Structure formats: structure tokens, C-alpha cells
Amino acid sequence: MDSGNNGDQVEPTKDAKPGKDKDKKAKDSGDNDEDDKETAASKSNLFKSVQSKIGMDVTNFTLPVFLCEPTSTLQRMSEMVNFAQILNQAADLESPLERLAYVSVFYLTGFNGTERFSKPFNPVLGETFEYIDPETGVRTVCEQVSHHPPVSACHSENDKFILTQQSTPKSIFLGNSIELDTRSHITVHLPRTGDRFTVTKYATTRAHNLLIGFAWIDHYGPLHITNMATGDTATLHIEKCGFLDKGRHVLSGQFRDAAGNVHLELSGKWTKTVSIKYVTAGHSQPPGTVVALWSRPKVNAIGKHKLTPYVIKLNECPPELERLLPPTDSRLRPDRRALGNGQTRLAGDFKSMLENRQRSDRQEREKGTLAPYVPRWFELVQSPDDASVTYWRYTGGYWEERQKKEEALKDPTDALAQQLASTLLIGSNVAGTACDFRACVRT
């Protein structure tokens, strides 16, 4: 089972009305024949319904659950730190151009999981996600801070770096393909050196043959990363796939100082290996040296949904972790859990239930019967690099409050401590809303 759910079975709520699922114990190895027939019919219906949306933004278009994988978009953002050891190495380098090269390669490793064509579940407003990576020391916290338009904020850090991400996705439907607008706010800060790297130009992403034919994805075009502290720039380029796959996945690039002088070069494929070549002296390696900074892991796709080993870790939810999580954590989404357990129909029922609850929440907020949602862990601030740009910045406090909860839960006989624990890590006006996933399962 590739979801990492430890075999937990998800029971329907009174709001979810499962169909006649003959094999409720089906796992990710495959659903039963009846589900397969239903999926084929759903694909046909989907093809008919999307024909009128050619050229339109379909980011908020409701997709059937058979097109989803058992993750949330917040988990997809957390996947970015899969290869955080590259940033740890960058933080210890003395050459600013070398640090830029390492940070750039780290950013390119984010493409590693993009060949999965199943879509993560859209986060509901107020949904959160946390992860602690024991190998790199990285702690990540994410929150869905806006629903219309959809905005996801993510903060990852250890003692070497701070990574800030903000996703504001747009998807343009082109018939049998989708062009993804992947522009977002992504910044890497290295506290020791004061470097602040920002992606200033994003490549184009297009997913092909989503409804008919063999699905494949192509990232292509220019990609620029700038060190705002020094003015050094990475000018990278991803080849567009040509006839008979010519140029597919090929990377090239140069790393220039503020005066425009080239000090290092980049080459490789984002699906295989990415290397840098030292052109000038003054770095950790002499001119002419080629170093492979990243290679795709031998095991990179597991199970029906082809999740990477890192994503499977993001989904793991043992009892000792679950008791610490807020009810808004993505791991607790009933639709995600059901899909991970191979319960496709039940996942669809839960997905519809959450979408309906979120619509109801929005209507109540518009009527004033439910207070506006205020993000719990992020605040909208002005970019230090561009006064016309705002982004969602982590306000801090999540891990400190989590520690308080862990301490309060140590004595199960202390009623006051247990009551305190139930109030920690929860935002205002969350109880009973769509992001209160524990309540979804209880009701």
C-alpha cells in the first residue's frame, strides 16, 4: 500500500454515501473490476464536460477522484525539500557563485516528482501540513491561506537554510493537454552568509495526453534565479521536447556574477543527473572540474500512484504522530486516506462531502454567520525585494505550540492538560468547518 496509512480503514460519515463497493479492503495495488468500469465511464463523461473549457483556467474545476493521488497540494509543496542536503552543502560553501549553483540545482530537483500525472487533492481553506525530516533536520509547516483564489503557503527550515514557498496555481486547458502556470514565490535564505535566492523567471510546464493517449509532461524554456544580496544570476534553460523526443529533459545554464562574468556552467537532464562545471578559479574545485550534484534515485516510483519514497514518508501517520497533529492536517483528510487504501468510491464520496462543506462555509462567511478565516501560521507582507509584490510569511510559533501539546499529552489522567492539548495548534473558527477532518469522520 503506497499511501503510508498503516492499513487504517476509513469509515463513511452520514454526509458521505458510499456506493456498493464490493471490495472495501482493496488497496493501492488496484481497485475491483466494477470500479474500473466506473472509471472508464467517468473518463468518458469528463471528456464531454471539459470540451467547453478549452482555453480556460480550470484550476478550480472539480475533477473526479480517479484522477487524484492520495496526497494534498500542501504535501506536494513539502516534497520540495526531498533533496535538502544540497542546500545544507550550499550553506557551507565560501564562494557565492558556487552557492548559487547549488541552490539552482536544488530547485531543479523539484521536477523529480512531476512525472506523476495524478493530481493531488486541492487543500480546503485552513488545511495544514507538518513534517519533520530526521535525516536533514528540516521542519516544514504549510497552510491553505486562501480559497478564492487558491493560495498555499509553505515554510521549511533547519539550522542551515530557510525555504519559503507560495503557490498560486493556474491551469489552462488546451483540449487534451494542460499548460500549468507554475509561477509562485520561492525564496531560499542562507542565514550564515545573508544570501537570499529568488526565482525570477519560471519555465513553462505542459502536461500532454491527459484524456487520450500516453500521458507525458514537458518542462521547457528559460529559468532564472537571482541572489538578491549579491546580484549574481543563474540563467538556465530547459529544452522543449522535439521530434522523436529530441532534446527532452535536457538542461543547460550559466552562473554569472553581477558584472556578467561566467564562473560556472550547468548541464544534464532533470530526469537523470544534473552537473556543474567550474570555469574560473576561486571556488572549491579547480577550473575544468565537473561535479554531479544530483542524480535521480534508483527507486523513484512505488505502487499504483507511483509515489516517491519521500512522499510515502509524508503520508505516514503512526498513532504517536496522529495524537499530536491538529485536526486540519492533510494526513487526516478522509478522502486522501480512503484513496490510499484503494477505496476509490468512498474517496469520491468523501471528496464531494468536503467540497460541499467548503461551499457551505463560504456561504456562511458571506452571510456573516461564520467569521472570516484568518490564517493561523502565515501573514501577508511586502516583499523586501519588490515593493509591488506581497507574499505569505511564516509568523512562527507552530513548533513551540506543538511542544506544549506533546507535554500536555504525557499524562492521560490530567484532565486539565488534556483539555489544553485539544485547543493547541488549532486556528480560530475551525471547529466544524471543512478543514476539521476529525469532525468529518466522527459526524
Side-chain angles (χ1 to χ4, degrees), residues 417-430:
Q418 297 294 310
Q419 178 62 30
L420 171 64
S422 68
T423 65
L424 296 173
L425 297 178
I426 302 175
S428 60
N429 304 311
V430 163

PDB file of all heavy atoms in Angstrom, residues 417-430:
ATOM      1  N   ALA A 417      -4.802  19.142  31.525  1.00  0.00           N
ATOM      2  CA  ALA A 417      -3.771  19.089  30.491  1.00  0.00           C
ATOM      3  C   ALA A 417      -4.350  18.563  29.192  1.00  0.00           C
ATOM      4  O   ALA A 417      -4.015  19.058  28.106  1.00  0.00           O
ATOM      5  CB  ALA A 417      -2.611  18.207  30.957  1.00  0.00           C
ATOM      6  N   GLN A 418      -5.233  17.560  29.297  1.00  0.00           N
ATOM      7  CA  GLN A 418      -5.851  17.018  28.099  1.00  0.00           C
ATOM      8  C   GLN A 418      -6.725  18.071  27.411  1.00  0.00           C
ATOM      9  O   GLN A 418      -6.777  18.168  26.183  1.00  0.00           O
ATOM     10  CB  GLN A 418      -6.691  15.790  28.445  1.00  0.00           C
ATOM     11  CG  GLN A 418      -5.892  14.627  29.014  1.00  0.00           C
ATOM     12  CD  GLN A 418      -4.917  14.038  28.001  1.00  0.00           C
ATOM     13  OE1 GLN A 418      -5.288  13.741  26.881  1.00  0.00           O
ATOM     14  NE2 GLN A 418      -3.663  13.880  28.404  1.00  0.00           N
ATOM     15  N   GLN A 419      -7.422  18.868  28.215  1.00  0.00           N
ATOM     16  CA  GLN A 419      -8.255  19.938  27.658  1.00  0.00           C
ATOM     17  C   GLN A 419      -7.400  20.988  26.964  1.00  0.00           C
ATOM     18  O   GLN A 419      -7.728  21.472  25.882  1.00  0.00           O
ATOM     19  CB  GLN A 419      -9.080  20.583  28.770  1.00  0.00           C
ATOM     20  CG  GLN A 419      -9.955  21.747  28.313  1.00  0.00           C
ATOM     21  CD  GLN A 419     -10.998  21.332  27.293  1.00  0.00           C
ATOM     22  OE1 GLN A 419     -11.464  20.192  27.312  1.00  0.00           O
ATOM     23  NE2 GLN A 419     -11.369  22.236  26.407  1.00  0.00           N
ATOM     24  N   LEU A 420      -6.257  21.331  27.580  1.00  0.00           N
ATOM     25  CA  LEU A 420      -5.334  22.289  26.966  1.00  0.00           C
ATOM     26  C   LEU A 420      -4.822  21.755  25.640  1.00  0.00           C
ATOM     27  O   LEU A 420      -4.772  22.486  24.638  1.00  0.00           O
ATOM     28  CB  LEU A 420      -4.160  22.555  27.903  1.00  0.00           C
ATOM     29  CG  LEU A 420      -2.998  23.378  27.316  1.00  0.00           C
ATOM     30  CD1 LEU A 420      -3.477  24.779  26.962  1.00  0.00           C
ATOM     31  CD2 LEU A 420      -1.828  23.431  28.296  1.00  0.00           C
ATOM     32  N   ALA A 421      -4.459  20.479  25.602  1.00  0.00           N
ATOM     33  CA  ALA A 421      -3.926  19.889  24.378  1.00  0.00           C
ATOM     34  C   ALA A 421      -4.915  19.973  23.231  1.00  0.00           C
ATOM     35  O   ALA A 421      -4.527  20.165  22.070  1.00  0.00           O
ATOM     36  CB  ALA A 421      -3.538  18.431  24.634  1.00  0.00           C
ATOM     37  N   SER A 422      -6.208  19.843  23.537  1.00  0.00           N
ATOM     38  CA  SER A 422      -7.238  19.871  22.489  1.00  0.00           C
ATOM     39  C   SER A 422      -7.404  21.252  21.865  1.00  0.00           C
ATOM     40  O   SER A 422      -8.020  21.382  20.812  1.00  0.00           O
ATOM     41  CB  SER A 422      -8.576  19.395  23.055  1.00  0.00           C
ATOM     42  OG  SER A 422      -9.083  20.341  23.997  1.00  0.00           O
ATOM     43  N   THR A 423      -6.864  22.285  22.506  1.00  0.00           N
ATOM     44  CA  THR A 423      -7.009  23.650  21.981  1.00  0.00           C
ATOM     45  C   THR A 423      -5.778  24.137  21.237  1.00  0.00           C
ATOM     46  O   THR A 423      -5.812  25.205  20.620  1.00  0.00           O
ATOM     47  CB  THR A 423      -7.298  24.637  23.134  1.00  0.00           C
ATOM     48  OG1 THR A 423      -6.154  24.689  24.014  1.00  0.00           O
ATOM     49  CG2 THR A 423      -8.530  24.204  23.921  1.00  0.00           C
ATOM     50  N   LEU A 424      -4.689  23.367  21.299  1.00  0.00           N
ATOM     51  CA  LEU A 424      -3.435  23.814  20.693  1.00  0.00           C
ATOM     52  C   LEU A 424      -3.359  23.448  19.208  1.00  0.00           C
ATOM     53  O   LEU A 424      -3.942  22.456  18.766  1.00  0.00           O
ATOM     54  CB  LEU A 424      -2.252  23.195  21.440  1.00  0.00           C
ATOM     55  CG  LEU A 424      -2.104  23.622  22.907  1.00  0.00           C
ATOM     56  CD1 LEU A 424      -1.008  22.823  23.598  1.00  0.00           C
ATOM     57  CD2 LEU A 424      -1.809  25.114  23.014  1.00  0.00           C
ATOM     58  N   LEU A 425      -2.641  24.268  18.450  1.00  0.00           N
ATOM     59  CA  LEU A 425      -2.392  24.094  17.009  1.00  0.00           C
ATOM     60  C   LEU A 425      -3.655  24.257  16.170  1.00  0.00           C
ATOM     61  O   LEU A 425      -3.681  23.885  15.000  1.00  0.00           O
ATOM     62  CB  LEU A 425      -1.773  22.717  16.716  1.00  0.00           C
ATOM     63  CG  LEU A 425      -0.403  22.444  17.318  1.00  0.00           C
ATOM     64  CD1 LEU A 425       0.042  21.018  16.977  1.00  0.00           C
ATOM     65  CD2 LEU A 425       0.628  23.442  16.819  1.00  0.00           C
ATOM     66  N   ILE A 426      -4.706  24.839  16.729  1.00  0.00           N
ATOM     67  CA  ILE A 426      -5.970  24.994  16.009  1.00  0.00           C
ATOM     68  C   ILE A 426      -6.252  26.476  15.813  1.00  0.00           C
ATOM     69  O   ILE A 426      -6.188  27.264  16.756  1.00  0.00           O
ATOM     70  CB  ILE A 426      -7.132  24.339  16.779  1.00  0.00           C
ATOM     71  CG1 ILE A 426      -6.840  22.854  16.999  1.00  0.00           C
ATOM     72  CG2 ILE A 426      -8.438  24.506  16.015  1.00  0.00           C
ATOM     73  CD1 ILE A 426      -7.876  22.159  17.843  1.00  0.00           C
ATOM     74  N   GLY A 427      -6.575  26.853  14.580  1.00  0.00           N
ATOM     75  CA  GLY A 427      -6.904  28.230  14.285  1.00  0.00           C
ATOM     76  C   GLY A 427      -8.308  28.596  14.753  1.00  0.00           C
ATOM     77  O   GLY A 427      -9.103  27.734  15.137  1.00  0.00           O
ATOM     78  N   SER A 428      -8.608  29.884  14.718  1.00  0.00           N
ATOM     79  CA  SER A 428      -9.942  30.336  15.115  1.00  0.00           C
ATOM     80  C   SER A 428     -10.974  29.937  14.072  1.00  0.00           C
ATOM     81  O   SER A 428     -10.689  29.852  12.882  1.00  0.00           O
ATOM     82  CB  SER A 428      -9.939  31.861  15.289  1.00  0.00           C
ATOM     83  OG  SER A 428      -9.576  32.507  14.079  1.00  0.00           O
ATOM     84  N   ASN A 429     -12.188  29.675  14.518  1.00  0.00           N
ATOM     85  CA  ASN A 429     -13.316  29.354  13.631  1.00  0.00           C
ATOM     86  C   ASN A 429     -13.052  28.144  12.742  1.00  0.00           C
ATOM     87  O   ASN A 429     -13.485  28.097  11.589  1.00  0.00           O
ATOM     88  CB  ASN A 429     -13.667  30.568  12.751  1.00  0.00           C
ATOM     89  CG  ASN A 429     -13.961  31.811  13.562  1.00  0.00           C
ATOM     90  OD1 ASN A 429     -14.740  31.759  14.504  1.00  0.00           O
ATOM     91  ND2 ASN A 429     -13.323  32.910  13.208  1.00  0.00           N
ATOM     92  N   VAL A 430     -12.336  27.162  13.279  1.00  0.00           N
ATOM     93  CA  VAL A 430     -12.040  25.948  12.520  1.00  0.00           C
ATOM     94  C   VAL A 430     -13.027  24.832  12.837  1.00  0.00           C
ATOM     95  O   VAL A 430     -13.415  24.065  11.948  1.00  0.00           O
ATOM     96  CB  VAL A 430     -10.589  25.481  12.800  1.00  0.00           C
ATOM     97  CG1 VAL A 430     -10.394  24.035  12.376  1.00  0.00           C
ATOM     98  CG2 VAL A 430      -9.597  26.379  12.069  1.00  0.00           C
TER      99      VAL A 430
END
